Amino acid sequence: MSAADRETWDARWSARGVELSEPEAFLTDQATRLAGGGRALDLAGGSGRHALWLAARGYDVTLLDVSPRALEAAGSAASARGLGLSLLELDTDAIDAGAAAFPPGPWDVILCHHFLWRPLFVHAGATLSEAGLLLFAQPTRVNLERHPRPSARFLLEPGELAELAAPLRVLSLSEGWRASGRHEAQLVAARHGG
Ligand SMILES: C[S@@+](CC[C@H](N)C(=O)[O-])C[C@H]1O[C@@H](n2cnc3c(N)ncnc32)[C@H](O)[C@@H]1O
């Protein structure tokens, strides 16, 4: 990611202020699967709406994001709620470039909501715990039929998620128009042999 991209995200998170939006149903609908606690990684987790939902359920959560402003907001929200949260400022491009490591597992949950980073699935296969879960949701190109954003470079091709998920054992995978109004691909997956 360029410095300009980072500034764009920082500016967006500054403009949104400290108010946390609600966690997405994609995550909260998985509540029965997410009762075990353990270590959770919220990748590109923004200002923490999902990380804090997981922390409130007893997970020891690391929130990774490139934006210092997002992390600052997440840290304040965690303190205000009396919840612990580990904050990790990291650009996934640095992982791609070999300049940084994917955060070491084992992870009992890896969540990635609305951030398309295709190497994630290989890293998840290598770092999920035996019973760990990857939860991933991202709009597809079909979303452009109703919404101009996210633009095409941030969208999955229809059917692409099934290919990306090959390093994992798919527990559920679906694509379609959601109650949110977005056309989204959603995946819950585990490690092969787990
Ligand atoms: C659409 S927001 C989603 C935030 C959060 N997952 C949610 O659903 O509320 C995308 C997030 O990705 C982060 N991001 C963008 N590029 C990144 C990169 N290269 N490495 C890490 N985080 C990045 C942004 O700062 C932003 O918080």
Side-chain angles (χ1 to χ4, degrees), residues 56-124:
R57 296 184 72 78
Y59 282 90
D60 176 6
V61 186
T62 297
L63 190 165
L64 178 162
D65 203 280
V66 74
S67 161
R69 297 308 300 254
L71 295 173
E72 213 175 279
S76 304
S79 301
R81 289 162 178 73
L83 294 167
L85 197 57
S86 301
L87 304 173
L88 178 58
E89 186 184 328
L90 187 63
D91 183 341
T92 53
D93 285 359
I95 302 174
D96 295 338
F102 188 86
W107 296 108
D108 300 298
V109 174
I110 299 176
L111 169 68
C112 183
H113 183 267
H114 287 193
F115 177 64
L116 181 54
W117 178 50
R118 291 179 171 88
L120 167 65
F121 303 87
V122 171
H123 290 294

Side-chain angles (χ1 to χ4, degrees), residues 12-187:
R12 278 188 203 166
W13 285 121
S14 300
R16 282 180 204 181
V18 294
E19 203 57 46
L20 271 194
S21 50
E22 290 298 310
E24 296 282 336
F26 167 65
L27 177 64
T28 57
D29 285 352
Q30 300 296 327
T32 50
R33 277 184 165 135
L34 299 173
R39 295 182 70 226
L41 174 66
D42 185 4
L43 188 108
S47 63
R49 59 184 176 146
H50 298 130
L52 291 176
W53 185 86
L54 287 165
R57 296 184 72 78
Y59 282 90
D60 176 6
V61 186
T62 297
L63 190 165
L64 178 162
D65 203 280
V66 74
S67 161
R69 297 308 300 254
L71 295 173
E72 213 175 279
S76 304
S79 301
R81 289 162 178 73
L83 294 167
L85 197 57
S86 301
L87 304 173
L88 178 58
E89 186 184 328
L90 187 63
D91 183 341
T92 53
D93 285 359
I95 302 174
D96 295 338
F102 188 86
W107 296 108
D108 300 298
V109 174
I110 299 176
L111 169 68
C112 183
H113 183 267
H114 287 193
F115 177 64
L116 181 54
W117 178 50
R118 291 179 171 88
L120 167 65
F121 303 87
V122 171
H123 290 294
T127 60
L128 279 173
S129 68
E130 206 170 319
L133 294 175
L134 171 70
L135 308 176
F136 176 86
Q138 180 69 13
T140 77
R141 192 177 271 271
V142 179
N143 196 56
L144 289 172
E145 290 172 9
R146 297 189 190 166
H147 309 284
R149 291 185 191 287
S151 60
R153 76 181 170 114
F154 298 114
L155 297 170
L156 285 165
E157 294 299 327
E160 183 186 358
L161 186 54
E163 292 167 27
L164 291 172
L168 297 160
R169 183 164 52 90
V170 172
L171 303 181
S172 71
L173 192 160
S174 64
E175 296 188 12
W177 291 104
R178 309 295 176 185
S180 62
R182 292 183 291 262
H183 191 279
E184 205 168 88
Q186 300 181 343
L187 171 76

